[in-house]
Amino acid sequence: MRPIVAEISEQALAHNLAQVRRYAPHAKVLAVVKANAYGHGLLNAARGLKQTDAFAVLNIREAVTLRDAGYQHPILLLEGVFSAEEMALVDRYRLDTVVSHHMQLQWLLQSQPNMPLRVYLKLDSGMHRLGFQPADYQPALDSLSASANVSEVVLMTHFANSDLADGVTQAMDIVAQVMGTQAYKRSLANSAAVIQQPHTHADWVRPGIMLYGATPIAEKSAASLGLSPVMTLRSALIGVQEIAAGESVGYGSLFTADQPTRVGIVACGYADGYPRHAPTGTPIAVNGVLTRTLGRVSMDMLAVDISDIPQAAIGSAVELWGNLVPVDAVAQASGTIGYELLCAVTARVPVHVID
Ligand SMILES: *Cc1c(COP(=O)(O)O)cnc(C)c1O
């Protein structure tokens, strides 16, 4: 067995869910488990998050996977259905669905569900991806509330800038104008808004990244927000090199030693999902000691500086990210965000649930 593994902590998931409830004590929680639960494995994550009030997924396959595993929670399709035919599956699997444009509205109104459905009506509050324009929102709401196919409408929007300290002001103005004082329940907040925009919490919050213990806010570490990393990406040294000043490591010879350097070779590369653009100096831990990567990440390997870790040898434990090395620190060094790294772990990396 190649030594790489992604360990998933169910305790950390439960802890982070409890943190969501601490930040938003009056809201119910739609735990977002799209993208294979941000790379953690849909069913692994669902087990750790079973205390949630509901799940949110991207497509029907994910929803069916949860139902087949026995989850009775409400399950929301975050982008709604992609065709009229899918409405039959929404009915059969008792799913909640987003309606964000006129065709979805027609598909829903013309479907014949056995039981009326809970529908989230999406407003475009300035992101300009999905959602009804403010002027079209009330007519859509009127036709939903008049339909026998609908048991409940939840008013919904998604913020473009909730990670910025005053990033929801404009969007909340639009929400106030359009949703007004309607008696319907509302769902507005993603993780960043859960953490720093309490006036957006409303009835249902939709946290994703914070459940996995990474930060939604660039300037704030996950630890400082009370979040625990769920995934630890571990591997081991499979080679050790002693190089002299002037010698280089890896493809392109991007790192050249300026003094005698002890180099460890780690069984992890971009084919495992580690970012190829991580530069020399990206944080990594060997034998529990923080150090730095050296040179270019290759497909199956990368190099680390073990000059100051004399006990490091072939077989020594390496943490690519987890408790010692926040995934957000690797992401920042690589010019991306923790979300992308977690989602990008590839299928060849075995996933083990711990605790
Ligand atoms: C992905 C998603 C979320 C979760 O966002 P995070 O930033 O991960 O908390 C919430 N709502 C919608 C509509 C989404 O697509």
Side-chain angles (χ1 to χ4, degrees):
M1 279 291 271
R2 201 164 160 256
I4 192 166
V5 61
E7 287 178 356
I8 306 299
S9 166
E10 285 188 16
Q11 273 178 21
L13 284 161
H15 166 84
N16 295 331
L17 177 60
Q19 292 297 82
V20 170
R21 295 202 190 276
R22 206 177 55 81
Y23 280 107
H26 305 298
K28 289 190 173 181
V29 178
L30 268 157
V32 179
V33 292
K34 63 187 175 188
N36 198 28
Y38 292 48
H40 294 67
L42 176 57
L43 293 180
N44 299 334
R47 227 174 298 123
L49 297 170
K50 58 181 178 287
Q51 303 292 347
T52 189
D53 301 297
F55 291 108
V57 300
L58 197 66
N59 59 45
I60 290 195
R61 176 152 22 122
E62 295 165 326
V64 171
T65 301
L66 288 173
R67 283 281 180 262
D68 285 349
Y71 291 95
Q72 303 290 321
H73 303 64
I75 300 176
L76 175 64
L77 297 172
L78 279 171
E79 291 185 358
V81 294
F82 301 98
S83 68
E85 291 68 43
E86 285 189 344
M87 286 308 305
L89 295 168
V90 168
D91 177 37
R92 174 157 150 216
Y93 289 96
R94 290 162 295 111
L95 308 181
D96 299 344
T97 189
V98 168
V99 168
S100 67
H101 58 71
H102 285 103
M103 288 180 69
Q104 283 177 333
L105 181 60
Q106 290 313 312
W107 297 336
L108 176 85
L109 296 177
Q110 288 160 17
S111 68
Q112 293 173 315
N114 291 302
M115 296 263 285
L117 306 166
R118 185 190 287 132
V119 179
Y120 286 66
L121 181 61
K122 188 161 185 180
L123 170 69
D124 178 2
S125 59
M127 171 114 80
H128 298 320
R129 282 190 329 193
L130 298 179
F132 285 84
Q133 293 311 302
D136 301 329
Y137 196 77
Q138 186 64 46
L141 178 55
D142 291 342
S143 40
L144 286 175
S145 51
S147 168
N149 287 352
V150 177
S151 60
E152 181 188 356
V153 185
V154 180
L155 312 184
M156 174 191 182
T157 196
H158 189 54
F159 297 122
N161 296 303
S162 60
D163 55 323
L164 306 178
D166 58 356
V168 299
T169 311
Q170 265 189 331
M172 285 301 278
D173 283 348
I174 295 172
V175 164
Q177 278 164 33
V178 177
M179 298 185 187
T181 53
Q182 305 254 25
Y184 299 95
K185 294 212 171 2
R186 297 173 192 209
S187 177
L188 315 174
N190 58 359
S191 294
V194 166
I195 290 166
Q196 63 179 6
Q197 320 285 0
H199 61 300
T200 69
H201 288 170
D203 301 286
W204 285 96
V205 292
R206 303 189 308 273
I209 194 71
M210 68 185 296
L211 295 172
Y212 307 99
T215 185
I217 301 164
E219 306 76 43
K220 294 185 182 156
S221 72
S224 76
L225 298 172
L227 305 173
S228 300
V230 174
M231 182 193 296
T232 303
L233 186 61
R234 294 189 192 288
S235 191
L237 296 186
I238 57 169
V240 173
Q241 305 282 341
E242 312 265 356
I243 64 172
E247 292 186 318
S248 301
V249 177
Y251 287 119
S253 302
L254 286 198
F255 170 78
T256 301
D258 56 8
Q259 58 184 11
T261 301
R262 215 161 156 256
V263 177
I265 305 299
V266 183
C268 177
Y270 62 78
D272 301 296
Y274 196 89
R276 180 175 178 274
H277 41 286
T280 291
T282 301
I284 187 167
V286 179
N287 269 354
V289 181
L290 279 178
T291 180
R292 58 178 186 146
T293 65
L294 297 176
R296 186 171 276 162
V297 173
S298 47
M299 183 182 286
D300 310 314
M301 284 173 261
L302 58 82
V304 290
D305 189 350
I306 52 171
S307 303
D308 296 330
I309 314 174
Q311 71 283 16
I314 289 175
S316 288
V318 176
E319 180 185 301
L320 286 311
W321 60 66
N323 276 300
L324 294 171
V325 183
V327 67
D328 298 306
V330 178
Q332 194 181 20
S334 311
T336 184
I337 53 177
Y339 295 73
E340 187 184 17
L341 296 189
L342 294 170
C343 291
V345 173
T346 62
R348 83 176 188 188
V349 177
V351 179
H352 291 175
V353 176
I354 58 166
D355 62 46

